[in-house]
Amino acid sequence: MITQLSKPVTAYRNIVASPAPGTDKKMSFEVSNLSDFLRERAAQQVNAYRHDCFMVLWVRQGSGVYQIDMNRYEIKADTVYFLAPGQIDVLQASEDLDGYVISFSNEFLNLYENNFDLLFNTGLYYTLPYSPFIKVQGEDMVAELEHMVLKMIKEYRGGHRLRAEVLRGNLKLFLIYLIRQDENAAYSYPTKKFELVKRFLQLLEKDFATKKLVTDYADELAVTPSYLNIIVKKVSGFPASFHIQQRIIMEAKRQAFYADMTMKEIAYDLGFDDIAHFSKYFKNVAGTSFTDFKKEVQTHLCL
């Protein structure tokens, strides 16, 4: 039996993240059984959640539909789903859905030091376009990964010294094992180019509503716009201008989809003074008009 959700929430700013039971905000890391996580969500009576952290959701059993932003994925056993900060998810699941949930912040994994490429260059979170899931292959690998998660749960619930360091090490190992499951993933060591891209993406996530030109970010990063475009494209496959446009349009789509905001409201919220300019910008980047996208949204919600 699939648990049906009500219509998406109408107040976009009220979309919340769902914390796992026993949240430790100081450590910025959580791990729990998926069943506990779902009960916590149900208690909040909100069905769409915007995440301010990285999240790993491993389905061990059960079925349903997992909607990440505007994309819908069929839930399958022993599949691991990845969500990056800012993404919104809606979960329609069978009553027997179970597995594990891990969430963590940039700071917890020390992305400011040497782990940025573990998430970015491997494609787990930041490669565009990407499939936000990996199917775990083989009983031995399932058992190995589950052993790691259970160790993290035990450590997380305990009060031992250096708990964060133990969890950080286990999390990194867990992610590396998942990367090995993806034939397209490739791990490489940090370089100055990765550092520049990391800083660009951090600035973009913070300032996309007010800074819409490559020049804006290049000035803050003390490089030329041309150089920034070239380096970002070498690392991610797309130039900086592409990431800026996609981030703005993704935010517009989220607001239209989850909050049913008007084009005027969204344009203003994203820093566009001229609605006609926003309409043209949306069509050029999204490949469809805002009006047609809204019609698609309404059709989607009626399914």
Side-chain angles (χ1 to χ4, degrees):
M1 177 180 178
I2 303 296
T3 302
Q4 298 294 330
L5 297 178
S6 58
K7 291 183 179 180
V9 291
T10 56
Y12 182 71
R13 293 174 181 80
N14 288 336
I15 295 175
V16 298
S18 177
T23 299
D24 189 335
K25 294 299 183 183
K26 293 182 179 179
M27 189 165 57
S28 301
F29 174 91
E30 302 165 20
V31 58
S32 72
N33 291 95
L34 182 54
S35 55
D36 294 335
F37 180 79
L38 294 175
R39 278 194 292 270
E40 186 76 15
R41 280 198 167 189
Q44 295 181 36
Q45 297 182 334
V46 179
N47 57 22
Y49 298 83
R50 180 167 188 158
H51 298 275
D52 58 0
C53 59
F54 293 96
M55 192 171 87
V56 178
L57 189 150
W58 179 13
V59 175
R60 287 288 284 113
Q61 68 175 30
S63 60
V65 175
Y66 197 14
Q67 181 172 297
I68 301 175
D69 286 328
M70 277 62 69
N71 300 312
R72 296 165 67 89
Y73 305 94
E74 182 182 353
I75 294 174
K76 297 181 179 179
D78 283 323
T79 302
V80 183
Y81 301 86
F82 303 92
L83 282 86
Q87 289 191 293
I88 298 173
D89 73 333
V90 177
L91 189 60
Q92 294 175 297
S94 59
E95 294 180 351
D96 65 337
L97 188 74
D98 205 3
Y100 307 98
V101 179
I102 304 170
S103 61
F104 56 94
S105 68
N106 289 358
E107 294 78 9
F108 180 79
L109 198 58
N110 285 339
L111 296 189
Y112 298 112
E113 295 179 7
N114 63 356
N115 289 320
F116 176 74
D117 56 315
L118 177 62
L119 301 182
F120 183 91
N121 194 39
T122 58
L124 289 185
Y125 290 95
Y126 282 122
T127 299
L128 296 173
Y130 77 113
S131 296
F133 59 85
I134 290 176
K135 174 69 174 178
V136 181
Q137 304 291 341
E139 295 181 3
D140 290 344
M141 180 53 63
V142 169
E144 186 72 25
L145 289 172
E146 188 162 39
H147 177 66
M148 293 182 194
V149 176
L150 292 176
K151 284 177 63 178
M152 281 189 275
I153 291 177
K154 181 178 179 180
E155 187 69 30
Y156 179 69
R157 293 174 177 174
H160 305 294
R161 294 176 58 190
L162 303 177
R163 179 174 62 143
E165 285 70 18
V166 172
L167 288 168
R168 185 177 297 112
N170 279 282
L171 173 61
K172 185 174 181 179
L173 186 61
F174 179 78
L175 293 174
I176 291 173
Y177 270 62
L178 286 174
I179 290 165
R180 290 178 176 178
Q181 295 285 290
D182 186 357
E183 296 178 354
N184 297 319
Y187 186 81
S188 62
Y189 290 95
T191 65
K192 290 184 178 180
K193 293 178 181 179
F194 283 116
E195 177 64 25
L196 178 64
V197 175
K198 176 189 73 174
R199 291 169 59 200
F200 163 69
L201 289 175
Q202 290 170 340
L203 289 174
L204 176 60
E205 187 61 31
K206 179 171 66 76
D207 299 329
F208 67 86
T210 57
K211 297 180 179 178
K212 299 176 174 60
L213 301 176
V214 176
T215 302
D216 297 329
Y217 297 94
D219 289 345
E220 192 158 352
L221 294 168
V223 297
T224 66
S226 177
Y227 181 79
L228 182 60
N229 264 326
I230 291 171
I231 297 304
V232 173
K233 185 174 182 178
K234 283 184 177 180
V235 173
S236 70
F238 301 90
S241 56
F242 175 88
H243 288 279
I244 294 170
Q245 293 169 354
Q246 293 298 316
R247 184 63 185 89
I248 293 169
I249 294 305
M250 175 56 71
E251 192 68 18
K253 287 182 175 180
R254 286 170 177 167
Q255 294 184 6
F257 190 94
Y258 290 101
D260 196 27
M261 294 171 66
T262 66
M263 182 167 66
K264 181 178 180 180
E265 291 171 332
I266 294 173
Y268 178 79
D269 195 55
L270 294 177
F272 288 85
D273 295 327
D274 186 348
I275 299 178
H277 179 209
F278 172 76
S279 177
K280 183 178 180 180
Y281 187 95
F282 187 98
K283 185 172 184 178
N284 287 340
V285 178
T288 186
S289 69
F290 183 86
T291 301
D292 287 343
F293 176 76
K294 287 283 287 186
K295 290 179 180 178
E296 292 177 10
V297 168
Q298 294 303 320
T299 300
H300 183 94
L301 293 179
C302 292
L303 294 178

